[in-house]
Amino acid sequence: MGANTSQVSDLSENPSLKSLVGTVSISENDPFWNQLISFTFISPTSSGDSKLLEEAVIPLAKTLVENNPRTGNFGALVRIFLGRTKELKISTECQDQLFIWQAHNALFMIRCLLKVFIREMSEEELHLQFSYQERAPGSCGESGKQDLLEELLSNLVHLIVEVPLLDITYSILFEAVTTLLVFFSYQLFHKEILRDGLIYQHVMKGRCLSLTSRLVKTLLYNFIRQEKCPPPATHIFEPKDEGGLLYGLASGVASGLWSVFTLGGAGSKAGIDQEHNPLPLSNQSLLLLLVLANLTDGPDWPNPYRQAITCFRNTQDTSSLPVEQPHAFQINFNSLYTALCEQQRSDQATLLLYTLLHQNANMRTYMLSRTDMDNLVLPILEILYHVEDRNSHHVYMALIILLILTEDDSFNRSIHEVVLKNVPWYTERSLTEISLGSLLILVVIRTIQFNMTRTRDKYLHTNCLAALANMSAQFRCLHQYAAQRIISLFALLSKKHNKVLEQATQSLRGRQGDNEALPDYAQDLNVIEEVIRMMLEIINSCLCSSLHHNPNLVYALLYKRELFEQFRTHPSFQDIMQNLDTVIGFFSQRLEQAGSDLSVERVQEVIMKGAQALPKDRLKMFPELKFKYVEEDQPEDFFIPYVWSLVFNSGVGLHWSPHGIELFSMDSG
């Protein structure tokens, strides 16, 4: 960095950087600044390269912290950047690439220094670093004229919302988004949730407030557009033999600057990194959006960014609102829906989908009205199918999304009308001509079984069963395999119930004066009986509401009828078992009348006719099974650490040493 530096190892010895962090004040009018920010250093995107950069910057930043109170050079660098950005929009319109390039470089240096400052000092101390100015011996080193920290924050937001996204502005927009993320990274170094502070106040209440809706909209559009970083061939200047100092410096750009995200440009191994994350601006914008949306409300003001996310509407919506909502805006729902469908591989896209479904009623209504819901549901099911490879939070969010969707009856009906020709990622057996509804049931049951044998997370069970229960009254034409798996899950639960019951009995006999182990068995038994009850209610709900639509479930029920014998007299299940007994008895009798050695086809035929003949009043009606997702109290205790774990793990070009991270344990998620 500085002049024509291109190697991380050169940084500590670079004369321009030595001057910046040194003991001598440099006037803002000095030609030094022009030279300092005319470099072709390639900004890293991989974690390894970001780590090398951080390690090289730390000693420089620490030297600057010592000298800055006397020199004010950090404030001067910030003002040089602010001076460049005032003309940035005009520079873009005039294609003044050199100007944009220098502004980007200045911001890149500020971001690298800030990242170290934030780790090393409090917000108050950081504020002081912005306020120091060049001073003569014996005079005061602070100036109250301008709050440079607020000026920079406000400027970054303006830059993001006002500068159009083009090849020549991609890098500086990425840098502006990344610098805002770095400003918020104080949260990483605190175990408790930060609910106040200078940066929080500036962003929630200061000059940034009026740009809330524009910032949220821009970040969403950055996510929607999925723009790849410009290819290395996008040269600003071709190298020329003639030309002045600046053109001589800028000529190095052809081999570096606009491959800012490819580490070395065309033909280098770094291309692998770009393939790993070919959408740096999209990814970083989404992370910043999630950080902003999950900031806590103030004591007497709501989070304006969450307000904006909660109330934005479709560009097609021309209706007028009875009450004007704060920070409202309109965005193309079709484009947003498409991007959400395409990007569910990442935790952050799934978390955005959850946020919109849960908090924005307009978006939820729109999604549920789509006729191509399979484009959204299939990626969510794929997350759950690969539960072993996903972190627990990602699985949990995918499940909550399904639960929210299944609260809607029209969704529960329509998923059985969508027939899938094949499901390539479902490898346990070949599935052809299966409805989306049957596939959803299969994947949720598989998740329950995985949870029973591995994680044993009660919340996971509860949400899986709640989604199945919401769907149960609308089960239609269940695939044979889905019907089998419902009964197989019941068989597994039954086996587990008997095992725990036996262990509890043996424990009672063997430890009659020592009750230590008893509560565990009692709790296990209680949990498993709750799950069995829920499964019986789900089967019962389907039989009562749509028995004639589900011959495969009746077939599976009859095939494994002995499983249900032991629960007939159990006090917890007697009431719900009455209907199952009625159905099993009715169809068993009809099969006996049809003769012995019946083929599968003949059995199915008897079931189909019997389903039409069974009087509905023979089955006792129970209250409809309906579960609604409700966020826990103080959801920020879950979401803020989760969001920051995503920034920590997925932020492009950002590396934090695990030492000193307090917000979450390093193996969480």
Side-chain angles (χ1 to χ4, degrees):
M1 258 185 285
N4 223 355
T5 299
S6 61
Q7 295 297 319
V8 172
S9 55
D10 298 341
L11 292 184
S12 57
E13 297 306 314
N14 180 268
S16 298
L17 291 177
K18 276 184 159 179
S19 299
L20 173 69
V21 305
T23 55
V24 178
S25 282
I26 305 163
S27 162
E28 287 169 47
N29 301 320
D30 196 304
F32 162 83
W33 296 106
N34 215 19
Q35 184 188 14
L36 178 74
I37 59 177
S38 297
F39 60 82
T40 57
F41 184 86
I42 299 162
S43 169
T45 57
S46 76
S47 180
D49 290 302
S50 303
K51 182 171 183 275
L52 288 174
L53 175 63
E54 175 103 337
E55 287 166 355
V57 170
I58 286 171
L60 291 165
K62 288 185 173 176
T63 306
L64 181 59
V65 170
E66 286 174 26
N67 295 324
N68 191 45
R70 290 182 299 282
T71 66
N73 283 347
F74 179 69
L77 174 62
V78 172
R79 280 188 289 275
I80 293 293
F81 167 71
L82 294 175
R84 289 285 193 286
T85 57
K86 284 188 176 75
E87 306 298 325
L88 207 55
K89 204 172 178 189
I90 297 165
S91 302
T92 306
E93 287 164 6
C94 302
Q95 296 281 301
D96 186 347
Q97 294 144 318
L98 180 63
F99 205 84
I100 298 165
W101 169 53
Q102 289 186 322
H104 163 271
N105 287 352
L107 182 55
F108 176 63
M109 295 176 78
I110 292 166
R111 187 253 287 185
C112 290
L113 292 166
L114 270 177
K115 194 160 167 299
V116 180
F117 289 176
I118 284 168
R119 189 172 192 123
E120 300 289 327
M121 62 184 72
S122 69
E123 281 187 275
E124 291 70 24
E125 291 167 318
L126 179 71
H127 195 234
L128 282 176
Q129 292 297 331
F130 277 89
S131 64
Y132 294 130
Q133 293 191 359
E134 178 188 358
R135 62 188 172 107
S139 67
C140 179
E142 292 179 41
S143 165
K145 290 179 192 170
Q146 177 194 39
D147 186 337
L148 207 55
L149 173 57
E150 182 175 20
E151 190 72 24
L152 179 58
L153 283 166
S154 171
N155 196 282
L156 291 172
V157 175
H158 270 278
L159 196 159
I160 292 165
V161 302
E162 287 178 358
V163 174
L165 175 53
L166 307 168
D167 275 3
I168 59 170
T169 59
Y170 192 102
S171 295
I172 195 164
L173 289 168
F174 170 82
E175 206 51 60
V177 170
T178 305
T179 306
L180 281 177
L181 269 179
V182 167
F183 264 119
F184 286 114
S185 66
Y186 269 110
Q187 181 63 78
L188 280 172
F189 310 108
H190 291 81
K191 200 163 189 64
E192 72 282 1
I193 303 300
L194 297 182
R195 299 171 190 275
D196 206 352
L198 278 170
I199 294 160
Y200 175 93
Q201 292 277 353
H202 286 321
V203 171
M204 293 284 245
K205 297 172 74 179
R207 286 153 55 188
C208 299
L209 185 63
S210 62
L211 295 170
T212 296
S213 58
R214 288 180 67 191
L215 179 58
V216 170
K217 184 175 183 174
T218 303
L219 294 174
L220 275 172
Y221 266 126
N222 286 349
F223 167 70
I224 288 168
R225 287 178 65 173
Q226 303 288 315
E227 290 282 349
K228 295 188 176 182
C229 51
T234 315
H235 301 157
I236 310 183
F237 300 100
E238 293 299 331
K240 295 178 182 174
D241 293 333
E242 70 279 357
L245 169 69
L246 281 176
Y247 274 78
L249 289 169
S251 67
V253 172
S255 64
L257 182 70
W258 291 119
S259 58
V260 138
F261 300 106
T262 53
L263 285 171
S268 79
K269 288 182 186 171
I272 296 165
D273 252 304
Q274 193 191 14
E275 280 310 303
H276 176 65
N277 195 333
L279 308 165
L281 180 61
S282 173
N283 179 72
Q284 220 85 324
S285 296
L286 178 51
L287 290 172
L288 178 58
L289 183 64
L290 292 170
V291 166
L292 291 168
N294 285 284
L295 292 172
T296 56
D297 292 336
D300 54 358
W301 67 86
N303 175 348
Y305 302 96
R306 190 180 303 126
Q307 281 184 311
I309 280 172
T310 302
C311 67
F312 70 77
R313 298 190 299 154
N314 195 353
T315 45
Q316 311 296 313
D317 185 353
T318 54
S319 60
S320 58
L321 293 171
V323 181
E324 191 56 44
Q325 293 168 303
H327 312 297
F329 64 91
Q330 289 182 290
I331 200 166
N332 187 313
F333 277 14
N334 181 51
S335 303
L336 181 53
Y337 178 81
T338 303
L340 286 166
C341 292
E342 290 171 351
Q343 293 299 312
Q344 286 308 309
R345 292 180 303 280
S346 75
D347 277 74
Q348 45 268 40
T350 305
L351 184 51
L352 176 63
L353 173 58
Y354 159 79
T355 304
L356 296 178
L357 266 175
H358 179 55
Q359 296 183 10
N360 189 311
N362 303 320
M363 192 70 198
R364 182 168 61 250
T365 303
Y366 175 83
M367 288 190 203
L368 288 166
S369 70
R370 293 285 299 212
T371 54
D372 60 348
M373 274 299 287
D374 50 311
N375 288 337
L376 188 68
V377 174
L378 282 170
I380 298 299
L381 295 183
E382 191 174 354
I383 293 166
L384 293 175
Y385 186 77
H386 296 296
V387 59
E388 298 94 334
D389 310 321
R390 302 287 179 177
N391 71 65
S392 57
H393 287 15
H394 199 182
V395 169
Y396 192 65
M397 296 324 302
L399 261 180
I400 299 299
I401 287 166
L402 286 186
L403 179 54
I404 293 171
L405 292 173
T406 61
E407 289 169 17
D408 184 79
D409 282 342
S410 62
F411 170 83
N412 295 330
R413 280 191 297 273
S414 65
I415 52 173
H416 292 288
E417 293 161 11
V418 178
V419 177
L420 308 166
K421 298 296 178 193
N422 70 326
V423 186
W425 46 260
Y426 197 100
T427 53
E428 281 168 40
R429 69 177 268 170
S430 174
L431 294 178
T432 54
E433 299 291 323
I434 186 169
S435 73
L436 183 59
S438 287
L439 179 65
L440 197 158
I441 292 164
L442 282 175
V443 172
V444 171
I445 285 175
R446 187 176 181 277
T447 309
I448 294 172
Q449 290 181 325
F450 174 81
N451 189 41
M452 281 173 66
T453 55
R454 307 277 184 87
T455 49
R456 299 180 71 190
D457 178 340
K458 189 182 174 185
Y459 285 104
L460 208 65
H461 262 10
T462 305
N463 287 302
C464 284
L465 291 165
L468 288 176
N470 283 348
M471 294 165 61
S472 59
Q474 268 94 24
F475 283 172
R476 291 287 185 279
C477 305
L478 288 185
H479 191 278
Q480 180 187 355
Y481 186 50
Q484 284 172 13
R485 299 310 292 163
I486 291 172
I487 305 303
S488 296
L489 175 58
F490 188 83
L492 189 68
L493 290 165
S494 174
K495 190 176 174 184
K496 197 169 178 65
H497 177 267
N498 294 341
K499 187 179 175 183
V500 174
L501 196 58
E502 190 182 333
Q503 286 171 331
T505 310
Q506 285 176 350
S507 177
L508 265 172
R509 285 180 190 145
R511 297 191 178 195
Q512 283 176 352
D514 176 10
N515 288 340
E516 279 179 30
L518 289 182
D520 281 345
Y521 286 126
Q523 193 179 0
D524 281 356
L525 203 59
N526 191 34
V527 168
I528 204 150
E529 286 186 357
E530 278 179 25
V531 176
I532 287 172
R533 168 86 195 183
M534 191 82 154
M535 279 304 296
L536 287 170
E537 287 183 350
I538 288 165
I539 295 168
N540 179 67
S541 169
C542 175
L543 296 177
C544 289
S545 305
S546 53
L547 182 143
H548 57 291
H549 287 301
N550 290 292
N552 285 330
L553 183 62
V554 176
Y555 184 97
L557 199 62
L558 292 170
Y559 191 71
K560 293 281 188 181
R561 69 191 91 175
E562 73 285 348
L563 278 176
F564 300 90
E565 289 289 329
Q566 62 172 331
F567 299 107
R568 187 178 288 156
T569 54
H570 194 294
S572 300
F573 311 123
Q574 270 180 321
D575 59 337
I576 205 87
M577 279 301 301
Q578 285 177 18
N579 281 347
L580 270 75
D581 269 350
T582 301
V583 170
I584 290 169
F586 177 81
F587 283 98
S588 297
Q589 187 181 9
R590 291 184 81 94
L591 287 171
E592 281 171 21
Q593 289 168 355
S596 56
D597 295 330
L598 301 177
S599 66
V600 173
E601 290 75 16
R602 178 74 182 116
V603 171
Q604 287 174 329
E605 188 187 326
V606 171
I607 290 170
M608 294 283 278
K609 286 182 178 170
Q612 305 296 328
L614 177 66
K616 286 204 170 181
D617 57 9
R618 292 274 299 273
L619 300 179
K620 179 186 170 188
M621 296 307 291
F622 284 81
E624 190 182 13
L625 291 179
K626 272 296 167 195
F627 293 87
K628 192 172 175 60
Y629 169 70
V630 180
E631 267 189 355
E632 300 275 334
D633 291 337
Q634 295 184 301
E636 63 271 18
D637 292 344
F638 171 84
F639 286 104
I640 290 178
Y642 180 34
V643 168
W644 276 104
S645 73
L646 298 181
V647 177
F648 181 88
N649 290 310
S650 311
V652 181
L654 290 170
H655 170 269
W656 282 277
S657 166
H659 305 297
I661 301 292
E662 294 283 338
L663 183 61
F664 48 83
S665 61
M666 295 314 296
D667 59 352
S668 70

